[in-house]
Amino acid sequence: MQTFEYIIKDPIGIHARPAGELVAEAKKFKSTMTLAKGDKSADLVKLFALLKLGVKSGETVTIAITGEDEDAAAAAIKAFLAANL
């Protein structure tokens, strides 16, 4: 299992366009991925669950990845977050 934290830098936070792209990126891997904010979490392949978290700019989220391709998945999600959120 891999976990890491990321501070959202997008001025709007996690909104529809980048959330959809994040879901698409997560679906490329077999590993199970969750994004947590505080005591709430969402599966990274479920767009509406992700948007329901209401993540704002400046908030810290924790990504947890478990599965056979977790190393590659973690690298890809980190790169995606840095480039888009």
Side-chain angles (χ1 to χ4, degrees):
M1 178 175 184
Q2 290 206 21
T3 61
F4 62 92
E5 291 186 342
Y6 183 78
I7 298 171
I8 301 300
K9 296 172 184 71
D10 188 295
I12 302 173
I14 296 180
H15 54 96
R17 182 194 49 77
E21 293 172 358
L22 179 57
V23 167
E25 186 68 23
K27 285 183 176 182
K28 294 178 183 176
F29 300 94
K30 294 179 182 177
S31 294
T32 301
M33 299 180 231
T34 58
L35 183 144
K37 179 187 107 171
D39 60 345
K40 297 179 183 178
S41 66
D43 189 328
L44 270 187
V45 297
K46 300 195 178 191
L47 178 62
F48 291 112
L50 189 59
L51 291 172
K52 192 174 178 181
L53 293 176
V55 180
K56 308 277 189 246
S57 181
E59 292 183 326
T60 300
V61 296
T62 303
I63 310 292
I65 304 172
T66 304
E68 63 188 70
D69 57 358
E70 65 187 38
D71 293 333
I77 297 300
K78 285 178 185 178
F80 177 87
L81 292 172
N84 297 286
L85 287 169

